[in-house]
Amino acid sequence: MRKPLIAGNWKMHKTNDEAEALAKGILNALSNENSVDVAICPPFTALERVAKVIDGSKIALGAQNVFWEDEGAFTGEISPRMLISLGCKYVILGHSERRRYFKESDEEIRKKFLKVLDRELIPILCVGENLEDRKAGKTWEVVNSQLTAVLKDVTLNGKEMVIAYEPVWAIGTGVSAKGEDALEVISSIRKRIKELLGEEYSSSTRILYGGSVKPDNIMEFMQYDEIDGALVGGASLKVESFVGIVEKVASGRKWKM
Ligand code: PGA
């Protein structure tokens, strides 16, 4: 069975002092947690400070974005090498806010995805439909096209990836998807991974749900074996709510390593 992963996406929140305090709070509360993988993704500016706090612990560090070149004249961008030098393990890619506000295309996300894998970072690839798509019955069409654009004809050579299904209408709205709706899309994603990458990837890849996850609704998703954890935005900004989610998963889900 896949080990659950709870990843906190801090988005554009937290100064360095605030980030350090939040990371310390999370570390103190979760230092004995073994049954759930935990990652925190602060803004670039706070990565180094947070890395120092969680150094040597089981909490992993992630970034929220990356560029697809190692170095060069790309003003304002951050490369995989830089993230590795700070101790990052994960990188969120294709988050809907990047697709929407920064017009990131599937093509760009694919370039980032390939580079990240090549550099031994683990991509957390986000896919999800917006409200219009859902109302028009196009949820799977949209999710499938985002997924296929990145994964088609890719050779992963055993490298790990994570997928996050995040319906755009559920992000930051307080209105999460229903567990069964998330299950339906996530099951389809797993089937599609099988077609694109084979049985091994389909059964080993962790697929998360994201969108208004809180301690009191996390088990709506984690009751299903198909759903392997969550990408958490708002609720990852406070120690109590983030730790609350991890603890619910740790105690509420029966799983074996
Ligand atoms: P939210 O954000 O938990 O605040 O809805 C989730 C995300 O954007 O990853």
Side-chain angles (χ1 to χ4, degrees), residues 99-114:
R99 293 177 190 261
R100 179 172 168 206
Y101 299 121
F102 306 100
K103 306 284 174 268
E104 270 192 23
S105 66
D106 284 328
E107 205 179 23
E108 289 167 331
I109 295 163
R110 180 181 167 95
K111 280 201 219 172
K112 293 180 178 190
F113 181 87
L114 295 176

Side-chain angles (χ1 to χ4, degrees), residues 36-52:
V36 178
D37 281 344
V38 176
I40 49 180
C41 307
F44 288 132
T45 45
L47 283 171
E48 190 168 12
R49 286 275 286 275
V50 170
K52 284 195 180 125

Side-chain angles (χ1 to χ4, degrees), residues 207-237:
I207 309 179
L208 317 181
Y209 166 77
S212 297
V213 170
K214 305 177 205 85
D216 60 9
N217 67 11
I218 181 67
M219 292 316 291
E220 166 145 10
F221 305 99
M222 296 305 289
Q223 66 176 307
Y224 301 111
D225 285 350
E226 280 292 301
I227 304 182
D228 302 311
L231 183 55
V232 184
S236 72
L237 297 174

